[in-house]
Amino acid sequence: MEQFFTQFPTVLGALNEGFLQTLRLFIITLVGALPLGLIISFGSMSRFTPLRALTRLVVWVIRGTPLMLQLLIIFYIPGYVLPNGSPWPGGESGRFMASAIAFIINYSCYFSEIYRGGIQSVPIGQQEAGQVLGMTKSQIFFKVTLLQMIKRIVPPMSNEIITLVKDTSLARIISLQEIIWAGYAFLKGSHGYSGLVWPLFFTGVYYLIFNGLLTLFFGWLERKLDYFR
């Protein structure tokens, strides 16, 4: 027990650093994927058949292949096919940039399907009523469709966002130093310690707390949007 308390400050400091990297990847993914997903959903609903078909093909490929494989392709393949080598900066910044792009592309495709389902679930009669009132298409979308869509997509969107928190651990496949990587490092030999298993399992506490806070937030958001009932 005395040895545990000796190790704990060092382990906690390393896990905190790893969690900050995880949190950074999570935030940047949301900032990029939420608006991009909406744009992709417009493409998948487009009346222009080639654009709709191409968009749905891309979404099908991204959703149908593992995120871990996409990370490996985005990080390693450009270095083999581009004449000037890998476009990613060296070190941690390059791994983070590749991870962020892979996560944004992946989650924007998942979000696009949620957006599409939310938009198409709003009764067409409400859009027709907006047209009768003389509203433009943009006014109908932002003042009628979008607000109701948000209410409908909160539960599935919250599920995907909580999944995103856990999926950030996949970035360790390209050696991004997120929280799971930081915990596993003590098993291999880090900060003068080797063979420590408990830091890896202790990372679960970070995920539980973070996902618990997100669950409370989305529960509050659903209650706030109850006025659409």
Side-chain angles (χ1 to χ4, degrees):
M1 184 62 70
E2 182 179 349
Q3 187 179 14
F4 171 81
F5 285 112
T6 303
Q7 299 165 349
F8 189 77
T10 303
V11 171
L12 187 63
L15 294 185
N16 285 339
E17 285 185 29
F19 179 71
L20 287 177
Q21 190 76 300
T22 294
L23 184 61
R24 192 169 154 230
L25 181 59
F26 169 80
I27 292 172
I28 289 178
T29 300
L30 283 187
V31 170
L34 287 173
L36 181 58
L38 185 59
I39 294 171
I40 294 174
S41 71
F42 292 150
S44 65
M45 294 184 294
S46 174
R47 294 181 181 179
F48 184 56
T49 303
L51 175 61
R52 184 176 67 250
L54 177 61
T55 304
R56 292 189 177 183
L57 175 63
V58 171
V59 170
W60 174 70
V61 171
I62 296 298
R63 294 176 69 210
T65 54
L67 175 56
M68 185 180 293
L69 179 61
Q70 295 166 22
L71 278 163
L72 292 171
I73 290 172
I74 287 176
F75 185 65
Y76 289 111
I77 295 301
Y80 289 103
V81 299
L82 295 178
N84 296 324
S86 176
W88 311 118
E92 189 73 0
S93 62
R95 289 190 288 270
F96 182 85
M97 189 180 299
S99 298
I101 291 175
F103 273 82
I104 289 171
I105 292 173
N106 182 275
Y107 271 85
S108 63
C109 289
Y110 280 96
F111 290 162
S112 73
E113 289 298 285
I114 296 174
Y115 285 134
R116 184 172 67 86
I119 291 171
Q120 292 179 339
S121 69
V122 177
I124 191 69
Q126 299 195 25
Q127 300 177 33
E128 293 172 346
Q131 291 175 340
V132 170
L133 293 173
M135 299 173 69
T136 64
K137 287 185 177 181
S138 61
Q139 287 176 327
I140 292 172
F141 178 76
F142 287 106
K143 295 184 177 181
V144 178
T145 305
L146 183 62
L147 294 176
Q148 294 185 66
M149 178 201 73
I150 292 173
K151 170 68 171 75
R152 296 165 190 264
I153 69 171
V154 166
M157 191 67 79
S158 64
N159 185 58
E160 286 298 326
I161 291 174
I162 288 174
T163 300
L164 169 60
V165 175
K166 295 176 286 184
D167 276 354
T168 55
S169 63
L170 295 175
R172 74 186 184 280
I173 194 67
I174 58 172
S175 300
L176 183 70
Q177 298 179 19
E178 45 73 58
I179 188 169
I180 295 292
W181 188 96
Y184 187 67
F186 286 96
L187 189 62
K188 298 187 297 181
S190 177
H191 297 80
Y193 298 108
S194 180
L196 295 184
V197 178
W198 70 265
L200 182 59
F201 292 103
F202 191 73
T203 60
V205 176
Y206 285 81
Y207 288 107
L208 284 172
I209 293 174
F210 190 28
N211 282 329
L213 293 174
L214 286 175
T215 301
L216 291 174
F217 169 74
F218 285 117
W220 170 84
L221 185 59
E222 285 190 57
R223 292 191 297 272
K224 283 292 183 181
L225 295 173
D226 275 347
Y227 61 82
F228 278 124
R229 288 184 177 178

